[in-house]
Amino acid sequence: MIIPAPRALIAEDEPLLAAALRHELGQAWPELEVAASVGDGLSAVREALALQPEVLFFDIRMPGQSGLEAAAELVDAWPDGKAFPALVFLTAYDQYAVQAFEAQAVDYLLKPLQAGRLQKTVARVQQLLAARSAAAPLSETTLAQLRSLLGAGLSPATGAAPAGGLLRFIQAGHGSRIEMVPVDEVLVFEAADKYVRVLTAAREHLIRTPLRELLAQLDTQQFWQIHRGTLVRASAIASAVRSESGKLTLQLHGRPEAFAVSRLYAAQFRAM
Amino acid sequence: MEADTAPKAAQAPKIDWIDKLRHLLQTLAFCLAIAAIQYAVQPERPYELPLVYSLAIGSLTWACIDFGRHLFPSNAATGWPAGIPGIALPACGMVLGYLGGTALADAWFGWSSWDGSGLAQLRVSVVITLLAGLAGTYFFYTRGHSATLRAQVSEVRTQATEARLKLLEAQLEPHMMFNTLANLRVLIATDPPRAQAMLDHLIAYLRATLGGARAALHPLADEFARLADYLEIMAVRMGPRLAFALDLPEALRGVPVPPLLLQPLVENAIRHGLEPQVAGGHIGVHASTRFGPDGALLVLEVVDTGVGLAQSPAHDTNHPGSHFGLTQVRERLATLYGAQGTLELIAGDADGTCARVTFPLNSPTP
């Protein structure tokens, strides 16, 4: 049996740097086939799903969405039964990212690229690809790392209380009227296009404040992130149900609908 | 009244005891001098007499005034209580100091100055207390005033240094620097002439950034040349995602402008307008003139076709640098041109943003 040549996807918004990475990879790993090179975070997810390559090289700062956000989206959208690609992030300078990468479950490359460093990364990725079986699930270390990277991007003052204090009321506009919704009554914040849906037991409000801004002003002990676009009140969670396909959903006290849990955040719902 | 001043006193800065000790010693020296003068004038009386009265009255007066002033909110400019308390305090201090000090000294000698025989002496010591009190108060007031001024000057200096540092940090942003170097590294191997051109732009950009704050004004043509350096670097990095046009009428080339005034606006247009947008966009920088009520105005515009104000993360707390850029431009305009220098951010027709700076065409008189 012949093992097919591994394929890679490059997502890098600066054309010269993308071309250079492709060129350097050609020398460091001649068997690797660069299946596509894209310049933004949205195309990165689309092409990764379409091509299903073995290795992903994602720049962290990209238009559309960041490389981290693209990776988080891929984790959820990746088809079951198919091994998740080896992830390598590219960054010019990102102290939080570099700190979080120390564990090195996923690798990173600092720009300007240096041939010797690239060679190490290639060796590590080759080792990873050789070691794992075809249907290996994503390791929890990789997920934890991705979570912390996304978190690091959210609040520069890691772990510190928000400067403006915790949010106590949501000011929700209804036409010309502003309703004051106590945060204590809110069960769910859900990102929906350009808005955030604020759900209480009885009502639904739309606000324009982005979820990432809300997240910085909420008590993360009270509100758990269960998806890129969903925060739920931890005390309102009634049950977590795993479907046959492995997808996890939450039922809340006081809301009829179910809420999908991302693979990235599924670890907190294991039985004790 | 009591209830009113108590909370203010609680908020007052902590008493500096070293400072108070210094004041006490100065007061004591002052009292000794007064006693010496009195003894010189009336050598027939024992030295102990003026010494004890002078020390008792002087130190009590000092204590009343110097500790009393912490009960009132003090004027930021002088460190002294503002308004009526500022005058009433030394007056009350002198009366209390005189009465209390005299009583203390009387107790020391075991007699009373208030019966008939001492009245003439009392009048003399009233005059001495009054003159010495005024002189002492004036001495401490001017000392405090100049100390406060010195503290303010050093604070302003610290703030200026901090602002300069933040400006440098914003302009030499690591992301920009390392990505630029990464591009240079690639070009050196693939296209040496282009690498050289890019390096020249980077050198000019760095020279302007590192030395720019020192020159007060430079010609508008120079300002546009620096913007061109920056935009050429960004054009190499962003490839087809960035197009730009600089439009400077021949007649305006020599107009003096503050150096790198537009730089933060162009950086914002790229970072918050074009960078988040997948397709990139166009940046135009235009110079024109307009007649205002107070004469000719120079109008400088940075127009981008980026994501626009509403979606721009400039309003996002996660990008602390963006506000700083705009604040800095506003502050520089206000310092140089007062109310005549303005910065407006205008949302574009479809998407995009226009940042418009307006100030008098004639060079400012700093």
Side-chain angles (χ1 to χ4, degrees), chain A residues 51-68:
Chain A
L51 299 167
Q52 305 205 345
E54 281 72 31
V55 194
L56 303 173
F57 292 93
F58 278 11
D59 185 15
I60 289 187
R61 237 156 100 159
M62 277 192 292
Q65 65 178 346
S66 78
L68 296 171

Side-chain angles (χ1 to χ4, degrees), chain A residues 13-17 20 24 40 42 61 63-64 91-94 111-115 153-154 156 194 212-213, chain B residues 173-175 178-179 181-183 185-187 236-241 271 275-278 311 315-318:
Chain A
D13 62 324
E14 304 198 13
L16 274 174
L17 301 187
E24 301 260 352
D40 66 274
L42 305 175
R61 237 156 100 159
T91 179
Y93 176 88
D94 209 317
K111 297 188 274 186
L113 281 185
Q114 266 147 23
L154 289 178
K194 285 179 182 173
R212 49 160 53 207
E213 248 173 69
Chain B
E173 199 232 349
H175 249 282
F178 287 117
N179 270 317
L181 292 173
N183 276 275
R185 190 178 184 280
V186 175
L187 281 180
V236 172
R237 290 184 45 198
M238 295 173 70
R241 290 183 59 235
R271 192 160 160 204
E275 266 186 5
Q277 191 160 269
V278 172
Q311 293 165 51
H315 304 277
D316 189 331
T317 46
N318 294 317

Side-chain angles (χ1 to χ4, degrees), chain B residues 55-353:
Chain B
L55 284 177
I57 295 174
S59 45
L60 204 63
T61 308
W62 163 77
C64 287
I65 298 177
D66 209 8
F67 287 98
R69 69 192 175 98
H70 293 288
L71 296 175
F72 303 95
S74 54
N75 185 332
T78 58
W80 192 259
I84 294 171
I87 297 163
L89 183 68
C92 293
M94 279 185 263
V95 171
L96 278 175
Y98 175 71
L99 295 176
T102 306
L104 267 179
D106 281 354
W108 172 270
F109 290 109
W111 67 56
S112 168
S113 301
W114 306 103
D115 48 23
S117 59
L119 274 180
Q121 190 57 43
L122 269 179
R123 270 200 294 279
V124 174
S125 55
V126 164
V127 173
I128 293 173
T129 304
L130 193 65
L131 290 178
L134 284 177
T137 304
Y138 180 74
F139 172 73
F140 285 121
Y141 173 79
T142 47
R143 289 278 304 231
H145 193 160
S146 62
T148 313
L149 278 184
R150 241 179 289 129
Q152 279 173 344
V153 166
S154 85
E155 195 186 334
V156 166
R157 217 172 268 156
T158 313
Q159 279 173 355
T161 313
E162 266 171 25
R164 226 180 101 82
L165 203 65
K166 269 172 85 182
L167 183 63
L168 265 180
E169 263 175 8
Q171 281 167 343
L172 299 181
E173 199 232 349
H175 249 282
M176 143 91 187
M177 289 311 295
F178 287 117
N179 270 317
T180 304
L181 292 173
N183 276 275
L184 255 179
R185 190 178 184 280
V186 175
L187 281 180
I188 286 169
T190 57
D191 192 348
R194 225 175 133 210
Q196 228 159 38
M198 191 185 188
L199 192 54
D200 287 343
H201 288 304
L202 182 63
I203 289 167
Y205 172 78
L206 288 177
R207 207 182 287 288
T209 303
L210 296 172
R214 271 159 231 152
L217 295 168
H218 69 176
L220 190 53
D222 285 5
E223 177 78 2
F224 270 58
R226 297 293 81 77
L227 294 180
D229 284 324
Y230 176 73
L231 285 166
E232 289 286 357
I233 294 171
M234 292 310 290
V236 172
R237 290 184 45 198
M238 295 173 70
R241 290 183 59 235
L242 170 64
F244 68 89
L246 298 173
D247 164 30
L248 174 60
E250 200 57 39
L252 297 178
R253 289 182 63 86
V255 175
V257 295
L260 297 185
L261 183 71
L262 298 182
Q263 179 73 28
L265 304 179
V266 174
E267 274 169 25
N268 272 359
I270 289 199
R271 192 160 160 204
H272 304 298
L274 264 49
E275 266 186 5
Q277 191 160 269
V278 172
H282 182 274
I283 288 186
V285 186
H286 315 285
S288 58
T289 51
R290 169 166 86 72
F291 281 93
D294 299 311
L297 296 170
L298 181 64
V299 182
L300 302 171
E301 285 179 328
V302 178
V303 186
D304 71 69
T305 59
V307 293
L309 282 174
Q311 293 165 51
S312 153
H315 304 277
D316 189 331
T317 46
N318 294 317
H319 294 268
S322 54
H323 280 303
F324 174 72
L326 294 181
T327 313
Q328 191 243 337
V329 173
R330 281 211 174 90
E331 276 173 6
R332 289 183 71 188
L333 285 170
T335 313
L336 285 163
Y337 308 103
Q340 282 190 289
T342 58
L343 167 64
E344 300 161 272
L345 284 185
I346 304 150
D349 293 334
D351 272 334
T353 311

